[in-house]
Amino acid sequence: MATSSPSTSAQPIDALIVGAGFAGMYMLHKLRGLGFNPQVVEAGSGVGGTWYWNRYPGARVDIQSLEYSFGFDEELEKEWRWSERYAPQPELLKYAEHVAERFDLKRDIRFNTRVTAAHWDDAAQVWNVTTDDGAAMRCRHLILATGCLSIPTDVTFPGLETFKGAVYRTSRWPHEGVDFSGQRVGIIGTGSSAIQSIPIIAQQAEHLTVFQRTPNYSMPAHNGPIPDADFEAWSKDPRGYRAASRDTVGGFQNEASEAMATQTAPAEIRAELERRWAWGGFRILGAFADTAVDPEANRIVQEFIAEKIRQQVADPAVAEKLTPKDHPFGTKRPCVDTGYYATFNRPNVELVDLREEPLTGFTPEGIKTSAKGYAFDAVVLATGFDAMTGAIDRIDLVGRGERRIKDHWAEGPRTYLGLMVAGFPNLFTITGPGSPSVLTNMINSIEQHVEWIADCLVSLKQRQQTSIEASEEAEAAWCRHSTEAVTPTMLPQANSWYMGANVPGKPRMFMPYAGGLNTYTEICRQVVGKGYEGFIIRQGDRVLSESRAFTSQPAPGEIPENLLPIIVGRLMAAGLMPAE
Ligand code: NAP
């Protein structure tokens, strides 16, 4: 039965990819190489996704650039040399442009076009897709490469429209840049985007006021040129290096230790944390195996970081306000900064704690809190994203039997492997909810997904199969397994965007898969090895293969023995493991 969807009589294209960020670009290149004729639709006027939109001052990657770059092409790898350990946004965008040019991608990308609807036509086994310019397209496979952090939240404030100054969003920064010289600037938010931009804006502006609701943990990047020794070590064997990165929980090399903070002498703990702090970035996350699960171990790291904040911020009262207290370390994505805390020592920078004086709205002159009014020439909103599901559920996606994605996800996103959704045949989500995605080095997760999807499309084509779809049973089993993976950790304890907590009315559910990229990749391999376990494969309306259950088990990871009681206790308390 055909749905009441927009349609056209044109021949369907093999695959329509939505988004020309790193995921969409590689998907396009990969499918072309396999003899498909894919096309891309992109809302922006250029490639690069995140790095196209987020042009705020100070934007840069928080995973080392040597690892945050494509590994699929040896020549590409050899010809590109990053200037810094953590590349700035303009260089990342240049890299995206270089990739597009090198592989002649733009001829198959339709820019300035947003997909608004996609309806599955079961009789024709195609997706009918509509775009915001009113065009209609038909495709066999619809691949959403729409990004996990691409749609800003709809945060607004009473009176915002009356403000006479300029308003900028970090995630929609003007391409021509902004010069804050001589201006009084206010910034709302203290997440990664704010923490990166505050030090730069503070250098330019006459005065900067930072409105903080919740402080975050931030580690120094110690950014700079990539040391020759590091580059040479990497250049000797980039393949091996990447393989080793992919074979980790986070998809990047972070010296994950198996030592337990609660079992380590204080002097050793300090030495280890100091060593990792001096190295910079996320390295401190891997210091001890128990910080993610044991509150006591976590507190040790929290106290260490609080001390580091006190060392960097001259005014003890300001340092205290900047110290996180409401969530364990690592339960929100930590930030990586260059001079963030020291910025509060500048005479032209002021911190307003919105817990003490809540923001009540805007006036024509600026921002009002319960305590007073602040006058500004410009205000920056660094208020975050409708993460993971925002870009997907803004498309009117209707699958088999009129199933709407919004209804299917009414209690949180349900997927099988974060790759497919039951009732939505031939719809793939690159780094979709339910996959490791945002908990990892995104590039490695993107490459793993693109390659899995490409293999799947080849397999269907070779066998003349017209559709693949996740079974309800496998989807339910994957959701349960995802819950089991995150329950022993403290990750669900924070009001994070991982949990959907930053968007009013969004269901609370831990959205990424917390079992690790290495484990996840192995599961995906097993699923394919078992003939696409958990998927229903059809030719027209004839079911060719259906193994509805999901039984693949991750290779048992090495769980330090001391953690077992905590993990088992949490699983039992959550009813995910029978009590003895
Ligand atoms: P975010 O982490 O969600 O931070 C948003 C900030 O805005 C929070 O401090 C939040 O306060 C505040 N906020 C939101 N609504 C508010 C309101 N109504 N009143 C006052 N304050 C409000 O967003 P983000 O900084 O854009 O970062 C999101 C993610 O993008 C990061 O976690 C990271 O994964 C990624 N990112 C990465 C990089 C990088 O790689 N270098 C850079 C930027 C972003 P509350 O916490 O109290 O809600």
Side-chain angles (χ1 to χ4, degrees):
M1 183 196 68
T3 60
S4 56
S5 59
S7 67
T8 154
S9 56
Q11 266 299 99
I13 50 181
D14 292 340
L16 184 70
I17 300 160
V18 187
F22 284 1
M25 287 198 293
Y26 180 34
M27 193 78 245
L28 171 61
H29 173 66
K30 183 77 188 168
L31 288 180
R32 267 193 197 160
L34 292 166
F36 292 93
N37 290 307
Q39 286 182 26
V40 179
V41 172
E42 162 61 49
S45 62
V47 295
T50 282
W51 305 112
Y52 169 89
W53 296 102
N54 291 269
R55 298 171 188 237
Y56 60 83
R60 61 178 70 247
V61 65
D62 59 4
I63 299 272
Q64 292 209 89
S65 297
L66 283 178
E67 298 198 63
Y68 188 89
S69 45
F70 283 128
F72 67 79
D73 187 283
E74 278 188 52
E75 290 306 310
L76 169 66
E77 204 163 49
K78 276 191 211 136
E79 72 203 10
W80 191 267
R81 173 130 195 205
W82 297 102
S83 65
E84 299 173 41
R85 277 175 82 186
Y86 300 95
Q89 175 272 334
E91 190 173 354
L92 286 149
L93 191 56
K94 212 164 124 197
Y95 177 71
E97 284 287 348
H98 172 71
V99 172
E101 189 110 329
R102 190 181 202 295
F103 299 108
D104 190 18
L105 299 181
K106 287 190 183 173
R107 70 181 152 89
D108 283 323
I109 305 177
R110 213 162 111 192
F111 290 106
N112 303 305
T113 310
R114 191 174 280 281
V115 167
T116 51
H119 295 189
W120 174 249
D121 179 338
D122 212 19
Q125 300 271 290
V126 295
W127 282 98
N128 290 318
V129 176
T130 316
T131 53
D132 59 357
D133 55 4
M137 306 167 90
R138 281 150 49 90
C139 60
R140 296 248 168 250
H141 298 96
L142 181 61
I143 304 173
L144 302 183
T146 40
C148 296
L149 293 157
S150 47
I151 301 290
T153 52
D154 299 331
V155 172
T156 187
F157 301 90
L160 179 60
E161 68 292 347
T162 66
F163 176 53
K164 287 188 296 199
V167 177
Y168 304 101
R169 268 186 198 277
T170 46
S171 52
R172 293 289 180 269
W173 204 256
H175 288 201
E176 64 280 11
V178 180
D179 182 3
F180 290 113
S181 304
Q183 296 195 12
R184 297 158 304 164
V185 182
I187 182 165
I188 301 177
T190 47
S192 293
S193 303
I195 281 177
Q196 288 188 332
S197 55
I198 283 167
I200 313 284
I201 298 174
Q203 284 165 24
Q204 256 183 29
E206 181 190 302
H207 192 270
L208 176 65
T209 308
V210 177
F211 292 90
Q212 168 189 274
R213 193 164 60 183
T214 313
N216 269 301
Y217 297 94
S218 187
M219 286 86 67
H222 299 312
N223 192 31
I226 298 171
D228 286 342
D230 288 8
F231 187 74
E232 276 152 28
W234 178 84
S235 323
K236 272 189 202 133
D237 182 17
R239 309 275 99 191
Y241 197 95
R242 286 190 196 283
S245 296
R246 284 177 169 209
D247 191 20
T248 60
V249 169
F252 65 104
Q253 299 192 25
N254 206 27
E255 275 193 40
S257 164
E258 293 201 352
M260 314 279 281
T262 50
Q263 315 272 313
T264 305
E268 275 176 57
I269 292 178
R270 165 147 302 265
E272 185 59 7
L273 293 177
E274 289 285 5
R275 186 178 74 78
R276 288 174 183 258
W277 188 265
W279 200 92
F282 289 146
R283 186 98 355 159
I284 200 165
L285 279 165
F288 296 101
D290 47 355
T291 43
V293 295
D294 184 345
E296 192 44 45
N298 196 284
R299 218 168 350 258
I300 292 170
V301 183
Q302 287 175 42
E303 280 163 15
F304 176 81
I305 297 176
E307 189 187 317
K308 288 291 176 199
I309 296 172
R310 289 194 292 273
Q311 283 169 7
Q312 294 173 83
V313 179
D315 181 338
V318 176
E320 185 63 16
K321 285 180 186 169
L322 288 167
T323 303
K325 296 181 188 76
D326 78 327
H327 63 281
F329 171 66
T331 54
K332 285 185 172 184
R333 187 172 172 108
C335 309
V336 176
D337 72 273
T338 298
Y340 174 62
Y341 292 114
T343 296
F344 292 92
N345 299 333
R346 295 176 64 101
N348 69 332
V349 175
E350 173 184 13
L351 178 68
V352 175
D353 184 345
L354 297 178
R355 305 265 173 202
E356 284 176 4
E357 45 173 304
L359 199 159
T360 52
F362 276 69
T363 63
E365 285 70 42
I367 290 176
K368 223 172 33 180
T369 68
S370 59
K372 61 188 250 205
Y374 297 83
F376 298 118
D377 302 302
V379 167
V380 176
L381 302 180
T383 42
F385 298 89
D386 183 353
M388 308 212 68
T389 55
I392 300 175
D393 66 24
R394 271 169 183 71
I395 300 173
D396 175 32
L397 269 174
V398 183
R400 188 189 298 286
E402 302 290 325
R403 176 176 288 191
R404 297 192 119 74
I405 201 92
K406 265 186 184 294
D407 299 335
H408 190 60
W409 286 2
E411 284 166 27
R414 305 170 53 73
T415 69
Y416 180 35
L417 302 170
L419 273 162
M420 296 200 86
V421 184
F424 293 80
N426 292 0
L427 174 79
F428 298 88
T429 51
I430 302 181
T431 64
S435 73
S437 59
V438 291
L439 297 178
T440 70
N441 171 1
M442 284 299 280
I443 294 266
N444 278 336
S445 283
I446 284 170
E447 289 195 337
Q448 187 258 337
H449 264 192
V450 164
E451 286 156 18
W452 193 96
I453 294 167
D455 287 348
C456 177
L457 263 53
V458 167
S459 167
L460 294 174
K461 192 173 176 183
Q462 283 171 348
R463 293 169 179 76
Q464 287 156 10
Q465 298 160 337
T466 54
S467 79
I468 181 165
E469 176 181 351
S471 76
E472 302 278 353
E473 293 86 339
E475 186 178 87
W478 181 251
C479 290
R480 186 186 156 92
H481 172 63
S482 297
T483 306
E484 283 166 357
V486 76
T487 298
T489 75
M490 290 185 287
L491 282 162
Q493 291 180 18
N495 288 323
S496 63
W497 56 257
Y498 296 145
M499 292 291 292
N502 64 330
V503 177
K506 191 165 174 170
R508 295 282 170 111
M509 174 180 165
F510 192 82
M511 294 183 284
Y513 173 67
L517 180 63
N518 45 2
T519 301
Y520 173 81
T521 303
E522 176 55 26
I523 293 172
C524 289
R525 252 189 235 122
Q526 286 185 26
V527 162
V528 175
K530 291 180 188 167
Y532 288 94
E533 174 182 78
F535 289 101
I536 304 160
I537 296 174
R538 293 183 170 90
Q539 196 174 56
D541 55 7
R542 200 157 61 91
V543 172
L544 297 181
S545 137
E546 68 182 321
S547 70
R548 288 177 172 266
F550 163 69
T551 62
S552 297
Q553 281 305 319
E558 284 294 314
I559 299 172
E561 215 171 285
N562 294 323
L563 286 184
L564 275 175
I566 301 175
I567 292 175
V568 168
R570 293 240 176 89
L571 288 172
M572 280 181 182
L576 293 164
M577 202 177 194
E580 282 163 33

